[in-house]
Amino acid sequence: MDTRAIPTPAALAPPEGYDRGRWETAVLGSGLHRNSRVVAFVLAHYADADGRLPAGGIQHTGRLVHLAKITPKQARLSITQLETQGFISRPDMATWEAKDVVRPVALVMPARGRRPVESHTDEPS
């Protein structure tokens, strides 16, 4: 007898708030630095249909440097800006046990009315 639980429709639904077209439109209309936009589109390209990138995926700084043609510092700043502005979410670094594996990323829609954070200030426009 099969004792596995049957998933509910809610459990099978993608995370609320992610639609790639809407997400990309929000990225384009944001005040994100151009490097952050490039990183955002790289992440979107490799994300699954639910907007998720698994732990250890392309969100690793070394992979982003290669794919987005930016420096390691620019990659780290871009990921931080995307997270700060609410375009991505990651598990808290303090609670992430696998310190040798890059944390997973979920692409999410920023909350409405969120005040934009200033873009990178140490890079020329």
Side-chain angles (χ1 to χ4, degrees):
M1 179 188 211
D2 191 357
T3 59
R4 289 180 287 167
I6 297 172
T8 65
L12 296 173
E16 186 174 81
Y18 180 73
D19 171 271
R20 184 173 174 174
R22 282 184 44 233
W23 189 84
E24 290 177 346
T25 298
V27 167
L28 286 172
S30 72
L32 291 170
H33 186 275
R34 70 176 178 270
N35 291 337
S36 297
R37 287 183 184 163
V38 170
V39 168
F41 286 112
V42 168
L43 295 176
H45 179 76
Y46 285 94
D48 67 15
D50 294 334
R52 296 174 195 236
L53 295 150
I58 63 97
Q59 64 273 24
H60 184 279
T61 300
R63 302 276 321 270
L64 289 174
V65 164
H66 173 73
L67 293 168
K69 307 294 189 236
I70 57 177
T71 68
K73 181 178 179 179
Q74 291 168 334
R76 288 188 300 275
L77 286 170
S78 295
I79 287 291
T80 299
Q81 186 180 40
L82 289 168
E83 187 171 28
T84 302
Q85 296 237 0
F87 286 98
I88 66 172
S89 67
R90 302 183 288 175
D92 187 329
M93 180 61 100
T95 61
W96 183 245
E97 293 182 22
K99 301 293 184 196
D100 59 335
V101 177
V102 177
R103 295 176 284 166
V105 169
L107 308 182
V108 294
M109 287 298 290
R112 292 183 190 266
R114 182 178 211 133
R115 189 161 186 232
V117 177
E118 291 297 316
S119 64
H120 307 198
T121 57
D122 63 334
E123 299 171 14
S125 295

